[in-house]
Amino acid sequence: MREQRIVVDDMAQPIPSEGEVLVKTLACGICGSDLHALKHGHELVQTSQETGGSFSMDLAKDVVLGHEFCAEILDHGPGTAKKLKPGTRVCSYPATYHHGQPSAIGFSNTVPGGFAQNMLLTESLLLEVPNGLPFTHAALTEPMAVGLHAVRMARLDRTEIPMVIGCGPVGLAVISALKLAGVGPVIAVDYSAKRRELAELMGADEIVDPSVTSPYSTWEEQAAYGLDGKLMPSDPIAGQKFRQGVIFECVGIPGVIDQIMVGVQRNCRIVVIGVCMQPDQIRPLVAINKELSLQFVLAYQPEEFAETLTNIAEGEIDVEPLITGTVGLAGVAEAFEDLANPEVHAKILIDPTL
Ligand SMILES: [Zn+2]
């Protein structure tokens, strides 16, 4: 990423510092955050500075994007234990200690991200890809971990009915995590037919096209019935009783949070994962009138990342449907454009050897 454009160029071979390994990238997914970094890099950096976030790159300098990767070990740097031999396939939480400084892989001026042919990773963070798992699937660990974290943070209990608004990669990851957690029925909402199809493949129980049906009436139809399958009583004043709702906002464009607040029933909880880069307006009175709760979540913990890789390797999560394209380095700029069309793509993987 150079001056808000994607270019392909040569750079110096990265040299591992103390505790690092040199790896060859096998596959790296393009993430919504990469699209944001390209279009809204200044907002990303500025809010990071205000909040202590990890997007602290200098946009006047080159950044090699890419944090959703699977790689192969080439060489070990100084002070490494060398438990994993060269040739071992690995994933890693996307951060490295380069010369003792933490760097966010894919959002850094000092270490390259996964769109490069070679990268540096911290040895102690490496996770060996379990035997036999294709590296293309292992590369989906990062985006799927986002879903697991969001669902963990939401602390759903079995009586609550989740609804996922927006079925891009983040929404799909949330759906799969909800299914793994055994809560439901899971209601998935998207305008795109392709994304609704993917939501179904990830296990969503009810799929809503909001241009045809109100997601909130679909949710109410489900939530009017208790865990015992019986219609809940109607209160003479408040009307029909409902189970509690947890709405996952996975869209991230202005106006969506307020729309959800207007649409949902009283006492619902809204978990925001969709990254809206612009200032957004909500009307607190809407939320006050309904006693809504609003929660924001980000990324995942290293343990959740590791757990997700295991889940994918053990077949608990099938990520194959999410991979809708693979490009070589020359195709990255075009892939960024293509990802704007939800009818075609969910996740495009980059194979830097192509
Ligand atoms: Zn990402």
Side-chain angles (χ1 to χ4, degrees):
M1 180 171 73
R2 179 180 292 161
E3 287 158 1
Q4 287 199 290
R5 283 177 353 111
I6 297 289
V7 296
V8 182
D9 205 350
D10 290 318
M11 58 185 287
Q13 176 79 348
I15 299 165
S17 71
E18 185 89 10
E20 284 187 312
V21 296
L22 177 69
V23 299
K24 171 173 94 174
T25 311
L26 300 171
C28 185
I30 303 176
C31 174
S33 314
D34 300 322
L35 305 186
H36 286 326
L38 190 67
K39 275 207 159 153
H40 304 281
H42 292 285
E43 289 91 329
L44 208 60
V45 171
Q46 193 200 327
T47 48
S48 229
Q49 282 165 352
E50 287 169 354
T51 58
S54 50
F55 304 103
S56 55
M57 58 210 157
D58 178 353
L59 295 169
K61 296 180 187 162
D62 289 355
V63 174
V64 184
L65 295 168
H67 56 274
E68 305 182 352
F69 51 82
C70 177
E72 184 184 307
I73 297 176
L74 292 178
D75 202 4
H76 293 81
T80 46
K82 303 179 180 61
K83 272 194 195 132
L84 299 174
K85 300 282 169 273
T88 308
R89 290 176 172 182
V90 292
C91 287
S92 169
Y93 185 88
T96 187
Y97 284 91
H98 188 57
H99 293 293
Q101 293 291 324
S103 290
I105 292 173
F107 301 99
S108 163
N109 302 115
T110 49
V111 296
F115 297 0
Q117 289 163 326
N118 294 139
M119 271 191 297
L120 302 175
L121 301 176
T122 288
E123 186 188 43
S124 59
L125 294 174
L126 296 180
L127 298 168
E128 184 174 3
V129 174
N131 231 349
L133 179 67
F135 61 80
T136 49
H137 291 194
L140 270 288
T141 301
E142 200 274 352
M144 298 314 283
V146 171
L148 179 70
H149 178 71
V151 169
R152 287 270 157 84
M153 292 290 282
R155 295 193 191 89
L156 283 95
D157 72 44
R158 282 189 60 235
T159 64
E160 292 177 305
I161 298 197
M163 180 156 76
V164 180
I165 310 267
C167 301
V170 168
L172 295 170
V174 170
I175 292 168
S176 92
L178 287 166
K179 294 305 291 183
L180 266 180
V183 288
V186 176
I187 304 168
V189 184
D190 204 294
Y191 284 104
S192 151
K194 170 75 180 175
R195 288 184 168 180
R196 291 197 303 275
E197 186 192 313
L198 290 173
E200 192 170 1
L201 286 171
M202 297 314 281
D205 301 291
E206 294 286 329
I207 322 271
V208 181
D209 175 356
S211 67
V212 176
T213 316
S214 157
Y216 305 103
S217 52
T218 303
W219 181 86
E220 284 167 20
E221 279 161 25
Q222 300 291 330
Y225 292 87
L227 275 181
D228 55 5
K230 289 187 186 143
L231 188 66
M232 311 246 283
S234 216
D235 183 281
I237 297 164
Q240 176 65 49
K241 281 193 178 163
F242 296 102
R243 281 159 72 181
Q244 189 143 326
V246 182
I247 315 298
F248 291 87
E249 196 283 90
C250 307
V251 179
I253 58 172
V256 174
I257 298 173
D258 195 73
Q259 250 176 46
I260 293 172
M261 290 183 352
V262 171
V264 292
Q265 280 293 331
R266 288 180 59 78
N267 298 320
C268 275
R269 303 196 282 124
I270 301 167
V271 181
V272 181
I273 317 157
V275 179
C276 179
M277 296 305 295
Q278 298 88 354
D280 192 11
Q281 277 195 328
I282 59 162
R283 288 167 294 164
L285 190 54
V286 174
I288 288 168
N289 283 343
K290 295 181 168 186
E291 298 198 289
L292 304 177
S293 302
L294 191 55
Q295 181 183 13
F296 296 84
V297 296
L298 170 74
Y300 38 77
Q301 297 297 317
E303 312 82 74
E304 292 164 337
F305 186 94
E307 195 179 329
T308 303
L309 177 59
T310 305
N311 286 340
I312 296 173
E314 288 180 356
E316 302 275 352
I317 306 173
D318 180 15
V319 294
E320 179 66 32
L322 270 78
I323 305 169
T324 51
T326 305
V327 295
L329 289 180
V332 176
E334 201 185 325
F336 269 59
E337 304 281 323
D338 292 348
L339 281 166
N341 182 0
E343 281 307 332
V344 183
H345 285 296
K347 186 60 73 185
I348 297 180
L349 294 182
I350 295 172
D351 177 347
T353 64
L354 292 177

